């Protein structure tokens, strides 16, 4: 594996974690995204929850495809579209003065559509374009590269979840480490 391939694997793993986290949050709590997206269409109200859940399904499907050898390369095409969508939503959020938390990067995300969405969208687009530039639409890399994306993506997703819920994690770990009191 070349240095470029290793960088692409790491970038893909970060994107996989981001898509899984964001997609899962949108599936569980679509109201946040629906209200924020509604701000992009003044006077029309919230976007239907079904639209937000459909976006979540696309995000999760692209993330899974990026971890499968036969689909990793082609998955960068819809990934580029997602990057454009996220950046565009952030730009519209800035222009329209978005105030509703979008929950885009997890339900605990309290930021409205804006700069963070633009930056994430551009980063996702850069990952997709870089992978397409290096490998084209065909399968990008080897089975080990896809396994690396899947493994690193899972580790990053788990780490992100632990960080987000660290207070609960500390309680659980603390309870596990407590010495059982012996009955005297």
């Amino acid at each position: 594996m070349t240095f470029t391939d290793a960088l692409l694997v790491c970038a893909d793993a970060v994107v996989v974690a981001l898509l899984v986290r964001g997609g899962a949050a949108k599936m569980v709590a679509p109201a946040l995204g629906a209200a924020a997206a509604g701000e992009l269409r003044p006077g029309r109200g919230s976007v239907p929850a079904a639209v937000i859940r459909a976006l979540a399904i696309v995000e999760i499907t692209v993330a899974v495809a990026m971890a499968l050898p036969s689909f990793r390369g082609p998955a960068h095409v819809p990934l580029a579209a997602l990057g454009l969508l996220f950046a565009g939503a952030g730009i519209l959020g800035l222009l329209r003065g978005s105030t509703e938390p979008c929950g885009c990067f997890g339900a605990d995300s309290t930021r409205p559509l804006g700069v963070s969405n633009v930056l994430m969208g551009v980063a996702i687009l850069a990952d997709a374009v870089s992978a397409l530039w290096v490998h084209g639409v065909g399968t990008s890399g080897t089975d080990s590269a896809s396994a690396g994306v899947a493994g690193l993506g899972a580790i990053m997703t788990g780490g992100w979840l632990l960080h987000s819920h660290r207070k609960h994690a500390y309680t659980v770990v603390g309870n596990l480490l407590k010495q059982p009191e012996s009955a005297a």
Side-chain angles (χ1 to χ4, degrees):
M1 180 180 298
T2 68
F3 180 73
T4 302
D5 287 337
L7 281 177
L8 290 173
V9 164
C10 290
D12 280 355
V14 169
V15 169
V16 163
L18 186 68
L19 292 177
V20 167
R21 169 81 185 222
K26 287 176 188 77
M27 287 296 286
V28 172
L32 286 173
E39 287 185 319
L40 303 181
R41 320 169 323 144
R44 292 180 159 174
S46 292
V47 170
V51 171
I52 301 302
R53 284 197 168 113
L55 174 60
I57 290 169
V58 170
E59 288 181 59
I60 293 168
T61 301
V62 170
V64 169
M66 289 176 66
L68 300 172
S70 298
F71 297 105
R72 184 166 169 239
H76 287 96
V77 174
L79 180 65
L82 284 172
L84 286 171
L85 176 70
F86 298 153
I91 290 168
L92 275 175
L94 286 170
L95 293 174
R96 303 228 199 259
S98 180
T99 59
E100 291 287 330
C102 70
C104 296
F105 309 117
D108 58 342
S109 175
T110 58
R111 293 189 174 143
L113 291 168
V115 173
S116 59
N117 301 88
V118 173
L119 294 175
M120 284 297 173
V122 168
I124 289 170
L125 180 61
D127 175 50
V129 169
S130 298
L132 291 168
W133 180 273
V134 171
H135 294 290
V137 178
T139 58
S140 54
T142 62
D143 289 353
S144 64
S146 294
V149 170
L152 283 173
I155 290 167
M156 288 178 194
T157 301
W160 194 351
L161 286 171
L162 281 174
H163 176 71
S164 295
H165 302 287
R166 60 189 170 276
K167 289 180 184 176
H168 298 297
Y170 290 142
T171 301
V172 169
V173 170
N175 288 338
L176 289 173
L177 295 177
K178 283 183 182 176
Q179 294 292 326
E181 295 181 27
S182 60

